[in-house]
Amino acid sequence: MNSTIAALNALFDRIPRRHSLDNVKEINNIVAEFETQLIKIESINEFFEKNTAIFFEDLENVRSLVKKSTDNKASKKSKDNFFDEASGALKDSFEALLKLCADGGKLNN
């Protein structure tokens, strides 16, 4: 397993499920690190350049949901639901990227 896949798996394992101030900070850090990995993967070759755009869109959705989970006007339940949705979407995005990397078989580190 190469270093990119290992880094993605390590980030995936850190994704929090419960809403809290610390977990909001953690998920934002994970999103930033995931974006860095995406940029790295995107630059590998034309195959990945063409197939990674959707993941950047996914990250914008996750950021939006995390931001909603910190809205002072939202109820605790709404905040929890937004955060849970963001966490689930992020996990789905990670899983899809890992599958793309495995199917592409083109990651060389």
Side-chain angles (χ1 to χ4, degrees), residues 47-58:
F47 171 81
F48 288 113
E49 185 178 343
K50 290 179 181 178
N51 290 289
T52 55
I54 188 71
F55 298 104
F56 290 101
E57 294 171 20
D58 290 348

Side-chain angles (χ1 to χ4, degrees), residues 21-64:
L21 184 58
D22 288 338
N23 284 348
V24 167
K25 290 176 186 176
E26 178 68 1
I27 204 167
N28 283 327
N29 290 335
I30 292 168
V31 166
E33 291 177 46
F34 184 56
E35 187 171 37
T36 300
Q37 290 298 322
L38 273 174
I39 291 167
K40 182 178 174 184
I41 292 167
E42 179 184 46
S43 69
I44 291 174
N45 61 34
E46 192 174 310
F47 171 81
F48 288 113
E49 185 178 343
K50 290 179 181 178
N51 290 289
T52 55
I54 188 71
F55 298 104
F56 290 101
E57 294 171 20
D58 290 348
L59 286 181
E60 288 309 312
N61 181 46
V62 169
R63 284 184 178 112
S64 173

Side-chain angles (χ1 to χ4, degrees), residues 40-107:
K40 182 178 174 184
I41 292 167
E42 179 184 46
S43 69
I44 291 174
N45 61 34
E46 192 174 310
F47 171 81
F48 288 113
E49 185 178 343
K50 290 179 181 178
N51 290 289
T52 55
I54 188 71
F55 298 104
F56 290 101
E57 294 171 20
D58 290 348
L59 286 181
E60 288 309 312
N61 181 46
V62 169
R63 284 184 178 112
S64 173
L65 289 166
V66 171
K67 186 175 181 176
K68 288 179 183 179
S69 80
T70 62
D71 183 357
N72 290 333
K73 295 178 184 178
S75 69
K76 168 94 170 102
K77 183 175 180 173
S78 292
K79 289 178 182 184
D80 290 345
N81 288 339
F82 285 132
F83 190 85
D84 187 51
E85 191 176 340
S87 178
L90 187 57
K91 283 188 176 213
D92 291 346
S93 189
F94 266 93
E95 289 170 344
L97 181 60
L98 288 166
K99 184 177 184 324
L100 176 73
C101 291
D103 290 347
K106 298 176 191 225
L107 284 181

